[in-house]
Amino acid sequence: MNIETSEFHWGMVIDLDRCTGCGACVTACQAENNIPISEQDGIANGRNLHWIRIERYWEGEFPHVRARFLPMLCQHCDDAPCEPVCPVYASYHNPEGLNGQVYNRCVGTRYCANNCPYAVRVFNFFNPKWPKPLEQQLSPDVTVRSRGVMEKCSFCIQRIRRGKEQASLENRKLLDGEVMPACAQTCPPQAIIFGDLNDPDSRVSKLARSPRRFRLFEDLGTEPSVIYLKGGGHDHPG
Amino acid sequence: MKRRSFLQLSGMSLASSMLAGCRKGNEKLIPFLVPPEDGAIPGIANYYASTCRQCPAGCGVLVRVHEGRAQKVEGNPHHPVNQGKLCARGQAMLQELYHPDRIKQPLKRTGIRGSGQFIPISWDEALKQLAGALAPYQQKEQEGLLLFSAPLRGSLARLTGDFLQHFPKAQHLAWEPLSPEWLQQGLFGNPGIPDYDLGNTQYLLSFGADFLESHLSPVRYGHGFGHMRQERQTVRGRYSYIGPRLSLTAASADRWLPARPGTEWALAFGIIRRLLQEKSFDASALQAAGLSVTNVTELVANFNVQRVAEIADISPTEIRATINEAVSISPALALVGEMTAWQSNGSAAVAAVELLNLMLGNINRPGGLYFTPATDAHISSNYAELTGLIERMQQKKVQLALIYGCNPVFSIPSDSNFSAALANIPQIISFASFLDETSLQADLILPDHSNLESWGDIVPPAGTRQQVIGLIQPVVKPLHNTRAFPDVLLALAKGMGGNLAMQLPHESYLQWLEEDLIKRIPDLFIGDRRQQMDHLLQQGGWFGPELEPISPKALKRPERVVSPEFSGAQEQYPLQLQVYASVNFYDGRSSHLPWLQQLPDPMTTVVWGNWLEINPQTARKLGVNQGDLVEVSSPAGKLTLPAVLYPGLRPEVVACPIGQGHQGLGRYADRRGENPLKLIKETEASKQRLTWGGTRVQVRRLAASSGLVTAGHAEGSYHRDLLGL
Amino acid sequence: MTTRANRYDAVRMNREMLSSMSPPTWRWYLLAAVLGAVVAFGLYAFTVQVTTGMGVTGINRPVMWGIYIISFVFWVGLSHSGTMVSAILRLSKASWRRPILRGAEAMTVFSISVAGLFPLIHLGRNWIFYYLLPYPNQRGLWPNFRSPLLFDMVAINTYIIGSTIFLYIGLLPDLAVVRDCSSGWKKKIYAILAMGWRGSAEQWQVFSRGSTLLACLIIPVAVSVHSIVAWDFAVTLVPGWHSTIFAPYFVIGAITSGVAAVITLMIVIRKLFKLEEFLQPVHFDNMAKLLLAVCLLWSYFYFSEVFTTWYAHKPIEWEIFSFMSSRYGIMLLIMMLGNTIVPIIGLCFRQVRRSLPALLVITLLVNLAMFIERFLIVVPSLSHKNIPFIWGSYTPSWVELAIMVASFALFFLLYTLFAKFFPILAITDVREQEEVLLGSQQNGRTRLETLVKEE
Ligand SMILES: Nc1nc2c(c(=O)[nH]1)N[C@H]1C(S)=C(S)[C@@H](COP(=O)(O)OP(=O)(O)OC[C@H]3O[C@@H](n4cnc5c(=O)[nH]c(N)nc54)[C@H](O)[C@@H]3O)O[C@H]1N2
Ligand SMILES: Nc1nc2c(c(=O)[nH]1)N[C@H]1C(S)=C(S)[C@@H](COP(=O)(O)OP(=O)(O)OC[C@H]3O[C@@H](n4cnc5c(=O)[nH]c(N)nc54)[C@H](O)[C@@H]3O)O[C@H]1N2
Ligand code: SF4
Ligand code: SF4
Ligand code: SF4
Ligand code: SF4
Ligand code: SF4
């Protein structure tokens, strides 16, 4: 679906050699995007609402054990399997390469979630609750989702908007690195780099050309906009 | 903070933005001297710079505030400690501000201690009571006043010091579990902690230092780690971790050396021996530190690869490879952390690693560690002082305890009898924001502001090569009828009159802070002081010039390291318990924040609870499966915990994070999991220094299922292959 | 057969066949009340779901579809029984079809209607289900025609409409009979429903042509409906679903369950209406052979699916099979027994094919197995999809089970009501057959080129 009518194509590079699995990005995203608190029962029943998760995989047995971390968020697939199956265009592709989610239109078929190979779409099984005054933290830039709708990482679209607005107010082009999603912003080892893949000189584009690059489930043809860089023992950065 | 104090300052013009020239911009960095409801434009967010206090590291933050509500905490990109980055705990500080279970006004106990029955009282009444309680201690001979706090630094340390001067016999104990006093008492005894230049090193060796999760300044080290790995054009720093548990920090290592608990130091000796053999050690640094080569040679003479491998129980191949790397890759940097320090032989072990750094020629060079002079007032106590205090409390020598900024009932092992000793104190006054284990014992609670409502400064204890004073400013109006602790001290001074009032005439802590900063920060002498102050507030603090590093002198000769001691008989208690600071909750102070409870523990992916980690081989022998309920018993006590099969752990070791198991601290933390400090058995040695890694335990399976919830699928966690990774 | 000629009396036959429409007995009321209560409880469960949220179901991540979709697919499959079987039999002019036609067609209409409820129940926000409809609106928003869910909606609606018309057209002459036999307000209603059927030659001619045409049309619709339902799965990237064989496999599955249901229905109707003379062992034998054939076909499809997966051994797909056989081993076994082993072995024997109790057991087993098969298609694939870290599993909640049970109750309730208010036996068809048996070709007032003699 490479129908691009915009100068931008947002993308992300996640360097697995830097990611320490610390989880700061998870909480940053939760804070930024008004993600409700999931109680223990909810998580036990598969109703965690985080938009990004750190997957931890074990390898081997003692003493030859390794643990590997894989930050997983919506890959903003260029050929997103979640989009064609949505009967109401609630899951749609925006001209800047984002997989958008229109909460108002979503009727809650959960079809898109089945068809997302990365299993990053989360469903609001109940209405969110914030015991007072926790709700005061909610950001006015992000809709609070009601029960019955699907949601997932938006690449912090509100920040992209804000960045573009700022640039246009100042009558200039958006700078590389000016828009930073909450997860990338907080990541201590700077494992997450976000930017415009259309600009060959952007940091994200340069890193995306690294020999360490790979994308998840490349064979499925989803054309993710999230590019991982292999971790462990690769002595030359991209 | 009173509105009046804002108004005093509100004549000031809205300070210019840090984003140059964006007058119509979306957001501005403004100092909170302009109150939000006046300075804020509806629909437009402002950023306020402040400092995180979720742990002592003191990372700089920018808080996005929208129409008087704090919305998002972000790292301050200009702050030298964290360079715009934050850990999950820092991100979650908003929830402390808006926590539904904060103490909203002064409380007076009505039920028995610990019953949680309080009635709200007014501040006037509370202050009157407090002043009345304090009054007798102004007399010269009157003993029995105790201030128990977390270690204090900067202005608050000075104010507290000045205040307590008027109570001649008062004792101030400033302690918290993860305070690095063991590092300050290491080989060099420099009171400042060196700045480890992780980012520029080529070979990193961590001796039980979980520097990516809880050790000293995790965000700073995390940032450095990223730099070390992939920021430089041609090199990727390598990294090995030695310690019995594959912690989050160890998981990022290229090589994990699973040493027996308390034996990590042997590797340091092994490397030093090779350095001496190859004569590739830094002789001048050794000399400068006042140490002799012969001494060191004698000390490490026997530590060949085989010996090190035997002591630590690691394969000689791995040891040899590590030693080879450490001596051939330069610069190589060694960190030492709590897992090593918390053993009975910890002090010598820490010294061994510091000696290694010295021998590697790491002192004051890029990729090494920089010693800078201690730059600021700081009050902190060591473990021996703490155990001494507990004795005094047991002997009923403490009559009035003021407790601020800490939760000792939770964070001191029960075996040391702190809680029982606390019950001996006739009057306990707490400044807590939450009804935690300690404030539940208080007779009077004068609730403190949350960090985001307070003024203050932070001098990062571990840190930077330049001098840093991080500033804390309120970003929202106080939500509840609370008062900042230093403001209470000033109000007391005023109320108690006399000398005290004369010496502390300040209207507010803000005034004190400003006066104090003027004394400490040279910049404030240049130009318009007001403008300068605004500028500092916008910036998030004062970031001074780089300090001249100093050459450390060794306080003592490096010594032999003995084997660690464990309490509990091996036959009865076959397993060794390692407790560690939780990634999510630090020492347990953040367990009340639902975002952190919900955040899967990075290694086990457990949410909303805690657990006992058991090596799968051991678990098989014990008949324990993932999620089974087990009973852990030590000579000090018994706990019931769900089991997590943890491949990254020595088979004779079990591990449990500190942080859960609160009795109190609000709805999200209360009665969730267990506090492993209840299992720690104190010994004579452990009265002198903290030895939380030295207890043996026994594990018994109780039942099949325990309500353990993990975010990751237990079986799926072993199927990385399916991802084609 | 000659004795029957003596008994032939159109009026008596009408009365006999309309006996099911006589005023209800207390037993009927009891049955209706019990069914109604179960339906009401299901409604209550649904209300709970709508007012609190989908969280009251067992649905989770990764298993975002559960009992509702399983029931949906099952009922859609079942709906193939009637219309399709009836259409096929009609076209193939098997004369013994007559007594069961109506029942089978009604079965289709009710099962497809029940099926159609499930996607609505399943929605997270049922109250805006109409977003799926391509209705003109000020926002100029249209539904996504690429989504199989939209094909579903179109197909299901078409099938509901088509099969209802099919049923209704077949009903016309009988409604006229009922009209003629009743009085008062009933007569008025049936008069309206009979749409002025007078049984003229012209009407019969149109009727006959129309039925045949509809029968021709309804078969592709039925095939397409189930292919489309199969595409809900087949077009996805979900391992285990992503399979080209799914469309024919689903259709065969549906026919299997449909044929089995028709046999069950034949047994029940034969017993209830004492049709031993019409439905003779040979008819069951024939139907059982058909069932045997589709079971063989189904097994072929199923095993080619398994073998391809095994042969290709794509790790994630094989993982799903392994997971299915370990976690849902017993269900898998029942499915194998019910869809393959028991019917294929059992139906090879003439005695079994002609034994009604045996057939009853086998056909019920086939449908149970078919329900399980739907479960095993939906759940294991989702439980262990591509990302091992979030693997999970699924257990339906009471709400889902209540609604599922209520769907069966609703089906039977609708059926019971239908049998009470409409002739459940195709009067004209059966009479026609009587006449055939009598050697009479007279039909109504006209002579039609009609029927093949039985056997
Ligand atoms: N309290 C309050 N009332 C107001 C206003 C206000 O500011 N405050 N503003 C007034 C003004 S200016 C206006 S324009 C009106 C707006 O009033 P409405 O026209 O009611 O607009 P919204 O509230 O935005 O609701 C839009 C609805 O459309 C639904 N929707 C989204 N996509 C589709 C679709 O494809 N088909 C259908 N059928 N529905 C869809 C969403 O679920 C949502 O429920 O409200 C007026 N009333
Ligand atoms: N996220 C989101 N954005 C939306 C919408 C949405 O649903 N969601 N809805 C959109 C729609 S449908 C609409 S209509 C717009 C509404 O957007 P606006 O047109 O901005 O509507 P209001 O917020 O009501 O602002 C009207 C302003 O006019 C002022 N005013 C009132 N009376 C008078 C008067 O007599 N003279 C003058 N000069 N000023 C007066 C009011 O004080 C107020 O400041 O928002 C659009 N934006
Ligand atoms: S914040 Fe960065 S390092 Fe931490 S888990 Fe997320 S991506 Fe990894
Ligand atoms: S990752 Fe999943 S949700 Fe995101 S665009 Fe791709 S298919 Fe859609
Ligand atoms: S759950 Fe919502 S977004 Fe997903 S397919 Fe259904 S309607 Fe579309
Ligand atoms: S890009 Fe934004 S929405 Fe997506 S995971 Fe990161 S913080 Fe969350
Ligand atoms: S490391 Fe400490 S100071 Fe820094 S953000 Fe985390 S909790 Fe706050």
Side-chain angles (χ1 to χ4, degrees), chain A residues 88 102-106, chain C residues 125 127-128 130-133 135-143:
Chain A
V88 293
V102 189
Y103 310 121
N104 263 352
R105 287 194 57 80
C106 175
Chain C
R125 301 204 295 168
W127 48 94
I128 48 167
Y130 56 87
Y131 283 14
L132 277 96
L133 302 175
Y135 66 100
N137 56 57
Q138 278 185 314
R139 284 159 209 270
L141 284 168
W142 289 90

Short mmCIF file of all heavy atoms in Angstrom, two decimals, chain A residues 88 102-106, chain C residues 125 127-128 130-133 135-143, ligand 1:
data_model
loop_
_atom_site.label_atom_id
_atom_site.label_comp_id
_atom_site.label_asym_id
_atom_site.label_seq_id
_atom_site.Cartn_x
_atom_site.Cartn_y
_atom_site.Cartn_z
N VAL A 88 -15.01 -1.38 8.79
CA VAL A 88 -15.48 0.01 8.86
C VAL A 88 -14.36 1.04 8.70
O VAL A 88 -14.55 2.20 9.02
CB VAL A 88 -16.23 0.27 10.19
CG1 VAL A 88 -17.52 -0.53 10.23
CG2 VAL A 88 -15.36 -0.09 11.39
N VAL A 102 -9.17 4.70 14.19
CA VAL A 102 -10.21 5.67 14.49
C VAL A 102 -11.15 5.05 15.51
O VAL A 102 -11.97 4.20 15.19
CB VAL A 102 -11.01 6.04 13.23
CG1 VAL A 102 -11.94 7.20 13.51
CG2 VAL A 102 -10.08 6.37 12.09
N TYR A 103 -10.98 5.47 16.74
CA TYR A 103 -11.74 4.84 17.82
C TYR A 103 -13.24 4.98 17.59
O TYR A 103 -14.02 4.07 17.85
CB TYR A 103 -11.37 5.43 19.18
CG TYR A 103 -9.88 5.46 19.42
CD1 TYR A 103 -9.21 6.64 19.66
CD2 TYR A 103 -9.14 4.28 19.38
CE1 TYR A 103 -7.85 6.66 19.88
CE2 TYR A 103 -7.78 4.28 19.57
CZ TYR A 103 -7.14 5.48 19.83
OH TYR A 103 -5.79 5.50 20.03
N ASN A 104 -13.63 6.15 17.10
CA ASN A 104 -15.06 6.42 16.91
C ASN A 104 -15.71 5.45 15.94
O ASN A 104 -16.89 5.18 16.03
CB ASN A 104 -15.25 7.83 16.37
CG ASN A 104 -15.58 8.78 17.49
OD1 ASN A 104 -15.80 8.34 18.61
ND2 ASN A 104 -15.61 10.06 17.18
N ARG A 105 -14.93 4.97 14.99
CA ARG A 105 -15.54 4.10 13.98
C ARG A 105 -15.49 2.64 14.37
O ARG A 105 -16.26 1.83 13.88
CB ARG A 105 -14.83 4.29 12.63
CG ARG A 105 -15.18 5.61 11.99
CD ARG A 105 -14.76 5.65 10.54
NE ARG A 105 -15.34 4.58 9.74
CZ ARG A 105 -16.56 4.60 9.26
NH1 ARG A 105 -17.35 5.61 9.50
NH2 ARG A 105 -17.00 3.59 8.53
N CYS A 106 -14.57 2.30 15.25
CA CYS A 106 -14.36 0.88 15.56
C CYS A 106 -15.62 0.29 16.20
O CYS A 106 -16.17 0.84 17.15
CB CYS A 106 -13.18 0.73 16.50
SG CYS A 106 -12.94 -0.96 17.04
N ARG C 125 -18.98 -3.18 20.21
CA ARG C 125 -19.97 -2.10 20.34
C ARG C 125 -21.16 -2.43 19.46
O ARG C 125 -21.33 -1.87 18.37
CB ARG C 125 -19.35 -0.75 19.94
CG ARG C 125 -18.13 -0.39 20.77
CD ARG C 125 -17.87 1.09 20.81
NE ARG C 125 -17.53 1.64 19.50
CZ ARG C 125 -17.50 2.95 19.25
NH1 ARG C 125 -17.79 3.82 20.19
NH2 ARG C 125 -17.17 3.37 18.05
N TRP C 127 -24.07 -1.72 19.61
CA TRP C 127 -25.07 -0.68 19.37
C TRP C 127 -24.78 0.14 18.12
O TRP C 127 -25.64 0.89 17.68
CB TRP C 127 -25.19 0.21 20.61
CG TRP C 127 -23.87 0.68 21.15
CD1 TRP C 127 -23.25 1.85 20.86
CD2 TRP C 127 -23.01 -0.02 22.06
NE1 TRP C 127 -22.05 1.91 21.52
CE2 TRP C 127 -21.87 0.80 22.27
CE3 TRP C 127 -23.09 -1.26 22.71
CZ2 TRP C 127 -20.82 0.42 23.11
CZ3 TRP C 127 -22.04 -1.62 23.54
CH2 TRP C 127 -20.93 -0.80 23.74
N ILE C 128 -23.63 -0.01 17.54
CA ILE C 128 -23.40 0.70 16.28
C ILE C 128 -23.11 -0.29 15.17
O ILE C 128 -22.31 -0.02 14.27
CB ILE C 128 -22.26 1.74 16.41
CG1 ILE C 128 -21.05 1.10 17.08
CG2 ILE C 128 -22.73 2.96 17.15
CD1 ILE C 128 -19.80 1.95 16.95
N TYR C 130 -24.66 -0.92 12.75
CA TYR C 130 -25.05 -0.45 11.42
C TYR C 130 -23.92 0.27 10.68
O TYR C 130 -24.05 0.60 9.53
CB TYR C 130 -26.28 0.46 11.51
CG TYR C 130 -26.11 1.62 12.45
CD1 TYR C 130 -25.56 2.82 12.01
CD2 TYR C 130 -26.49 1.52 13.79
CE1 TYR C 130 -25.37 3.87 12.87
CE2 TYR C 130 -26.30 2.57 14.66
CZ TYR C 130 -25.75 3.74 14.21
OH TYR C 130 -25.54 4.79 15.06
N TYR C 131 -22.79 0.49 11.38
CA TYR C 131 -21.65 1.04 10.65
C TYR C 131 -21.20 0.09 9.55
O TYR C 131 -20.50 0.48 8.64
CB TYR C 131 -20.45 1.26 11.59
CG TYR C 131 -20.53 2.47 12.49
CD1 TYR C 131 -21.72 3.14 12.67
CD2 TYR C 131 -19.40 2.93 13.15
CE1 TYR C 131 -21.79 4.24 13.51
CE2 TYR C 131 -19.45 4.03 13.98
CZ TYR C 131 -20.66 4.68 14.17
OH TYR C 131 -20.70 5.76 15.00
N LEU C 132 -21.59 -1.17 9.71
CA LEU C 132 -21.19 -2.14 8.70
C LEU C 132 -22.07 -2.07 7.46
O LEU C 132 -21.76 -2.68 6.44
CB LEU C 132 -21.25 -3.56 9.27
CG LEU C 132 -20.04 -3.99 10.07
CD1 LEU C 132 -20.26 -3.79 11.54
CD2 LEU C 132 -19.70 -5.43 9.79
N LEU C 133 -23.19 -1.36 7.59
CA LEU C 133 -24.10 -1.32 6.45
C LEU C 133 -23.69 -0.19 5.52
O LEU C 133 -23.32 0.89 5.98
CB LEU C 133 -25.53 -1.08 6.94
CG LEU C 133 -26.09 -2.11 7.91
CD1 LEU C 133 -27.46 -1.67 8.38
CD2 LEU C 133 -26.16 -3.48 7.24
N TYR C 135 -24.96 2.32 4.21
CA TYR C 135 -26.08 3.24 4.10
C TYR C 135 -25.54 4.64 3.82
O TYR C 135 -24.45 4.98 4.23
CB TYR C 135 -26.92 3.23 5.39
CG TYR C 135 -26.19 3.77 6.59
CD1 TYR C 135 -26.43 5.09 7.01
CD2 TYR C 135 -25.27 3.00 7.29
CE1 TYR C 135 -25.75 5.59 8.11
CE2 TYR C 135 -24.59 3.51 8.38
CZ TYR C 135 -24.83 4.80 8.78
OH TYR C 135 -24.17 5.32 9.86
N PRO C 136 -26.31 5.42 3.12
CA PRO C 136 -25.81 6.77 2.82
C PRO C 136 -25.80 7.61 4.08
O PRO C 136 -26.73 7.56 4.88
CB PRO C 136 -26.83 7.32 1.81
CG PRO C 136 -28.04 6.47 1.96
CD PRO C 136 -27.65 5.18 2.58
N ASN C 137 -24.73 8.32 4.32
CA ASN C 137 -24.69 9.17 5.50
C ASN C 137 -23.97 10.46 5.17
O ASN C 137 -23.24 10.55 4.19
CB ASN C 137 -24.02 8.44 6.67
CG ASN C 137 -22.64 7.94 6.30
OD1 ASN C 137 -21.78 8.72 5.91
ND2 ASN C 137 -22.43 6.65 6.40
N GLN C 138 -24.17 11.42 6.05
CA GLN C 138 -23.63 12.74 5.76
C GLN C 138 -22.12 12.76 5.73
O GLN C 138 -21.50 13.60 5.12
CB GLN C 138 -24.11 13.72 6.82
CG GLN C 138 -25.50 14.22 6.54
CD GLN C 138 -25.87 15.26 7.55
OE1 GLN C 138 -25.66 15.08 8.74
NE2 GLN C 138 -26.43 16.36 7.09
N ARG C 139 -21.52 11.82 6.46
CA ARG C 139 -20.06 11.80 6.51
C ARG C 139 -19.46 11.23 5.25
O ARG C 139 -18.25 11.23 5.08
CB ARG C 139 -19.59 10.97 7.70
CG ARG C 139 -19.75 11.72 8.99
CD ARG C 139 -19.79 10.77 10.16
NE ARG C 139 -20.59 11.34 11.22
CZ ARG C 139 -20.10 12.10 12.18
NH1 ARG C 139 -18.83 12.35 12.20
NH2 ARG C 139 -20.86 12.62 13.10
N GLY C 140 -20.34 10.68 4.42
CA GLY C 140 -19.83 10.10 3.19
C GLY C 140 -18.97 8.90 3.44
O GLY C 140 -18.08 8.56 2.66
N LEU C 141 -19.19 8.24 4.59
CA LEU C 141 -18.36 7.10 4.94
C LEU C 141 -19.00 5.81 4.45
O LEU C 141 -20.20 5.61 4.63
CB LEU C 141 -18.19 7.02 6.46
CG LEU C 141 -17.23 8.04 7.03
CD1 LEU C 141 -17.38 8.08 8.53
CD2 LEU C 141 -15.82 7.71 6.64
N TRP C 142 -18.18 4.98 3.85
CA TRP C 142 -18.66 3.68 3.40
C TRP C 142 -17.92 2.58 4.11
O TRP C 142 -16.79 2.79 4.52
CB TRP C 142 -18.47 3.55 1.88
CG TRP C 142 -19.43 4.44 1.17
CD1 TRP C 142 -19.23 5.72 0.82
CD2 TRP C 142 -20.75 4.11 0.78
NE1 TRP C 142 -20.33 6.24 0.22
CE2 TRP C 142 -21.30 5.26 0.19
CE3 TRP C 142 -21.55 2.96 0.89
CZ2 TRP C 142 -22.59 5.30 -0.31
CZ3 TRP C 142 -22.83 2.99 0.38
CH2 TRP C 142 -23.35 4.16 -0.21
N PRO C 143 -18.56 1.46 4.24
CA PRO C 143 -17.81 0.35 4.83
C PRO C 143 -16.72 -0.13 3.89
O PRO C 143 -16.68 0.26 2.71
CB PRO C 143 -18.86 -0.73 5.07
CG PRO C 143 -20.06 -0.32 4.34
CD PRO C 143 -19.95 1.10 3.96
N1 LIG D 1 -22.03 19.20 24.67
C1 LIG D 1 -21.81 19.65 23.41
N2 LIG D 1 -22.78 19.50 22.47
C2 LIG D 1 -22.57 19.92 21.22
C3 LIG D 1 -21.38 20.57 20.85
C4 LIG D 1 -20.40 20.76 21.84
O1 LIG D 1 -19.32 21.30 21.62
N3 LIG D 1 -20.64 20.28 23.09
N4 LIG D 1 -21.16 20.96 19.57
C5 LIG D 1 -22.29 20.99 18.66
C6 LIG D 1 -21.77 20.89 17.28
S1 LIG D 1 -20.94 22.25 16.66
C7 LIG D 1 -21.92 19.76 16.50
S2 LIG D 1 -21.29 19.70 14.89
C8 LIG D 1 -22.57 18.58 17.01
C9 LIG D 1 -21.84 17.29 16.65
O2 LIG D 1 -22.57 16.24 17.18
P1 LIG D 1 -22.47 14.81 16.53
O3 LIG D 1 -22.80 14.89 15.09
O4 LIG D 1 -23.25 13.92 17.37
O5 LIG D 1 -20.90 14.53 16.55
P2 LIG D 1 -19.96 13.71 17.56
O6 LIG D 1 -20.32 13.89 18.95
O7 LIG D 1 -18.61 14.04 17.14
O8 LIG D 1 -20.34 12.20 17.25
C10 LIG D 1 -20.07 11.59 16.08
C11 LIG D 1 -20.61 10.19 16.16
O9 LIG D 1 -20.43 9.60 14.93
C12 LIG D 1 -20.06 8.28 15.09
N5 LIG D 1 -19.46 7.82 13.81
C13 LIG D 1 -18.17 7.75 13.44
N6 LIG D 1 -18.09 7.20 12.21
C14 LIG D 1 -19.36 6.92 11.81
C15 LIG D 1 -19.95 6.32 10.63
O10 LIG D 1 -19.32 5.92 9.70
N7 LIG D 1 -21.29 6.20 10.58
C16 LIG D 1 -22.06 6.63 11.59
N8 LIG D 1 -23.37 6.55 11.48
N9 LIG D 1 -21.54 7.17 12.69
C17 LIG D 1 -20.22 7.33 12.80
C18 LIG D 1 -19.21 8.24 16.31
O11 LIG D 1 -19.26 7.00 16.91
C19 LIG D 1 -19.89 9.32 17.15
O12 LIG D 1 -20.80 8.72 18.02
O13 LIG D 1 -22.68 18.65 18.42
C20 LIG D 1 -23.28 19.87 18.89
N10 LIG D 1 -23.56 19.70 20.28
#
